[in-house]
Amino acid sequence: MPQLITPTATLHQAWLAARDDWAGEQQHGSGLSPDDDVDSPPGFAAWVSRLNAQPDVCPSHPDDRVPATHWWIASDGEILGAISLRHRLNRKLLEAGGHIGYGVRPSSRGRGIATWALREVLREATAMGLDRVLLTCDSSNPASARVIEHCGGALEDVRDTWLGHTRRYWITLA
């Protein structure tokens, strides 16, 4: 049974195994930046520390980050993916990116993990007081579109954005 866990430096090797499974694909929802050193234990620990501090990012952060909570999707010590909840949107995230980003490693796809994780994070968003959340996905990713639609996503539009040709969905929270 998968669970959402707070990122931790103690799972460095498990995270590296998951990263290697991506084989160069972008790891959506992970909070990973191209300049993050995740191969060395100190670099990995610093990255995990930054992820866990992101809920406290101030509104005027210089690199446009917004407050966010990150989780890893894990099962039996294996990292299956990642999901993040941005507590608010800036102009860039309103266009594309949205409140929630997620990704499941290739070897774990097709098992309902993304749908399960998104439902769990929608509960977190509701508890946080959000009335609705924006999710986006690349228009060439029908699997992600199905996940969002299964969780109540209503398609607002499809447009060209800084992320490419993007499907934009809103989910109203109860």
Side-chain angles (χ1 to χ4, degrees):
M1 177 77 181
Q3 57 184 355
L4 296 182
I5 64 169
T6 300
T8 175
T10 62
L11 291 175
H12 187 203
Q13 292 305 312
W15 189 90
L16 288 174
R19 188 260 330 251
D20 292 347
D21 191 13
W22 287 86
E25 285 183 56
Q26 182 179 359
Q27 298 180 45
H28 295 285
S30 69
L32 186 64
S33 299
D35 58 340
D36 287 322
D37 167 24
V38 293
D39 290 313
S40 75
F44 186 77
W47 173 64
V48 167
S49 179
R50 181 178 58 79
L51 290 181
N52 291 331
Q54 199 163 346
D56 301 321
V57 168
C58 70
S60 60
H61 197 277
D63 67 1
D64 287 333
R65 277 189 289 152
V66 297
T69 304
H70 297 270
W71 296 273
W72 290 343
I73 307 164
S75 181
D76 298 321
E78 181 181 18
I79 306 299
L80 308 177
I83 189 163
S84 60
L85 170 61
R86 297 173 193 97
H87 303 178
R88 63 175 180 77
L89 300 179
N90 57 24
R91 205 175 353 256
K92 185 176 180 180
L93 291 170
L94 184 58
E95 179 188 11
H99 286 94
I100 300 172
Y102 59 87
V104 173
R105 66 190 282 181
S107 63
S108 295
R109 293 178 184 162
R111 301 184 347 211
I113 293 166
T115 301
W116 172 84
L118 179 54
R119 286 187 177 134
E120 292 295 308
V121 172
L122 290 173
R123 284 192 259 284
E124 295 286 338
T126 299
M128 189 178 289
L130 296 176
D131 296 326
R132 65 184 191 145
V133 293
L134 175 68
L135 285 92
T136 70
C137 68
D138 190 283
S139 64
S140 66
N141 188 345
S144 189
R146 281 192 302 273
V147 166
I148 296 167
E149 290 165 1
H150 281 130
C151 291
L155 182 65
E156 180 179 65
D157 61 21
V158 180
R159 62 172 82 162
D160 290 321
T161 72
W162 60 276
L163 285 176
H165 201 61
T166 303
R167 298 175 66 87
R168 299 175 69 254
Y169 293 88
W170 288 96
I171 298 177
T172 301
L173 304 173

